[in-house]
């Protein structure tokens, strides 16, 4: 009986966490819908991830050059596309979120001087538009066994928002 009560308590806790995540994803989606320019859209992504999802480092990689894009540390504009990121070839091929510890070359490519601060990360493909990287100081924040449903929703919302602004 105690074991069943403990398991039920755990499940209720997970349900509350998922509800909180769903509200955050919804808030991000609404912010993306309200954004009127490419600059506002990219800024909304980073602001939501930094503030609402309490992340340490965010990098948005876009495979385009556009004068409307802000000059910001969190943005990597690379119009040549995936070929500029050979270390991520397998990631782009799989087109699925990647969670856990990244190899040093990947961390350097994304986070530069801040790479030493990243102890776990998540990479999200953003359709053919680019990728999103979120780095954490906590080595256990992102791990290979974590669920990716909410991550996929975030990636799809960003990809859809970006299609409003053709390259």
């Amino acid at each position: 009986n105690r074991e069943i009560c403990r398991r039920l308590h755990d499940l209720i806790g997970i349900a509350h966490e998922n509800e909180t995540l769903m509200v955050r994803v919804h808030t991000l989606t609404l912010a993306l819908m309200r954004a009127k320019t490419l600059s506002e859209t990219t800024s909304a992504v980073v602001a939501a991830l930094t503030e609402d999802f309490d992340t340490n480092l965010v990098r948005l990689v876009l495979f385009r050059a556009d004068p409307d894009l802000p000059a910001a540390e969190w943005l990597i504009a690379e119009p040549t596309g995936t070929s500029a990121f050979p270390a991520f070839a397998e990631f782009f091929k799989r087109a699925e979120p990647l969670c856990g510890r990244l190899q040093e070359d990947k961390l350097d490519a994304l986070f530069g001087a801040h790479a030493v601060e990243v102890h776990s990360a998540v990479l999200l493909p953003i359709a053919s538009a680019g990728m999103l990287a979120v780095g954490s100081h906590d080595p256990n924040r992102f791990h290979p066994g974590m669920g990716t449903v909410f991550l996929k929703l975030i990636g799809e919302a960003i990809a859809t928002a970006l299609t409003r602004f053709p390259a």
Side-chain angles (χ1 to χ4, degrees), residues 42-63:
T42 57
S43 294
V45 169
V46 176
L49 290 171
T50 303
E51 296 164 16
D52 298 338
F53 290 86
D54 192 31
T55 59
N56 298 122
L57 293 163
V58 177
R59 294 295 184 268
L60 180 60
V61 178
L62 295 180
F63 300 145

Side-chain angles (χ1 to χ4, degrees), residues 14-154:
I14 291 169
H16 284 297
E17 289 174 19
N18 285 344
E19 181 180 14
T20 300
L21 280 173
M22 196 62 191
V23 168
R24 290 176 181 164
V25 171
H26 181 67
T27 301
L28 168 62
T29 303
L30 292 176
L32 293 173
M33 291 172 69
R34 288 184 188 112
K36 293 177 176 54
T37 66
L38 178 60
S39 179
E40 285 179 16
T41 301
T42 57
S43 294
V45 169
V46 176
L49 290 171
T50 303
E51 296 164 16
D52 298 338
F53 290 86
D54 192 31
T55 59
N56 298 122
L57 293 163
V58 177
R59 294 295 184 268
L60 180 60
V61 178
L62 295 180
F63 300 145
R64 67 191 307 174
D66 192 302
D68 193 32
L69 288 172
E73 184 179 33
W74 50 261
L75 179 65
I76 301 170
E78 183 50 66
T80 59
T82 60
S83 62
F85 299 91
F88 297 91
E90 186 62 30
F91 166 74
F92 289 124
K93 183 178 169 185
R94 283 192 14 245
E96 289 289 325
L98 177 66
C99 307
R101 296 193 175 113
L102 297 179
Q103 296 164 334
E104 193 173 326
D105 58 339
K106 290 181 176 121
L107 290 173
D108 289 340
L110 294 168
F111 299 104
H114 297 284
V116 296
E117 301 171 31
V118 178
H119 299 290
S120 68
V122 64
L123 297 179
L124 290 177
I126 304 175
S128 60
M131 72 175 151
L132 178 69
V134 179
S136 177
H137 299 153
D138 179 357
N140 299 311
R141 170 90 186 259
F142 303 114
H143 53 86
M146 68 187 290
T148 59
V149 171
F150 291 112
L151 295 173
K152 288 177 183 178
L153 293 174
I154 291 169

